[in-house]
């Protein structure tokens, strides 16, 4: 009969294997897909301060705020660019 120590070690190895499988099977998390203010500003050809001003005045692309962190969905940046097109 295996000792408690052996069973605990086997259980830990099994948990690690399950974690690896879940990580491999899950799509990239939403948090990893979000852009920082610096990344969004770079895509728009702006300074981060400009995005900050737009946020405070209610303008600019849609953003997500969690605590003090501001993030942008890539789709929101693309939508913003498309909506800025001026017809001739």
């Amino acid at each position: 009969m295996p000792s408690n120590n052996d069973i605990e070690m086997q259980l830990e190895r099994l948990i690690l294997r399950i974690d690896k499988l879940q990580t491999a099977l899950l799509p990239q998390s939403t948090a990893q897909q979000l852009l920082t203010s610096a990344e969004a500003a770079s895509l728009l050809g702006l300074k981060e301060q400009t995005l900050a001003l737009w946020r405070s005045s209610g303008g600019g692309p849609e953003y997500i705020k969690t605590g003090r962190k501001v993030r942008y969905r890539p789709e929101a940046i693309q939508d913003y660019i498309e909506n800025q097109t001026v017809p001739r």
Side-chain angles (χ1 to χ4, degrees), residues 42-86:
S42 177
L43 287 172
L44 293 168
L46 303 169
K47 294 182 178 182
E48 282 185 75
Q49 293 91 340
T50 302
L51 285 179
L53 286 171
W54 286 355
R55 285 193 305 271
S56 67
S57 66
E62 291 181 353
Y63 63 95
I64 299 165
K65 189 164 184 182
T66 306
R68 297 174 76 179
K69 293 183 179 184
V70 174
R71 298 289 185 262
Y72 293 86
R73 287 189 178 94
E75 300 83 17
I77 301 300
Q78 185 64 37
D79 290 345
Y80 180 78
I81 292 169
E82 289 173 7
N83 289 328
Q84 300 310 303
T85 303
V86 178

Side-chain angles (χ1 to χ4, degrees), residues 4-20:
N4 285 343
N5 215 13
D6 291 336
I7 293 172
E8 287 176 12
M9 288 177 61
Q10 288 177 348
L11 184 58
E12 285 178 26
R13 279 184 274 186
L14 183 58
I15 290 170
L16 286 174
R17 287 177 61 197
I18 290 170
D19 286 344
K20 286 180 183 178

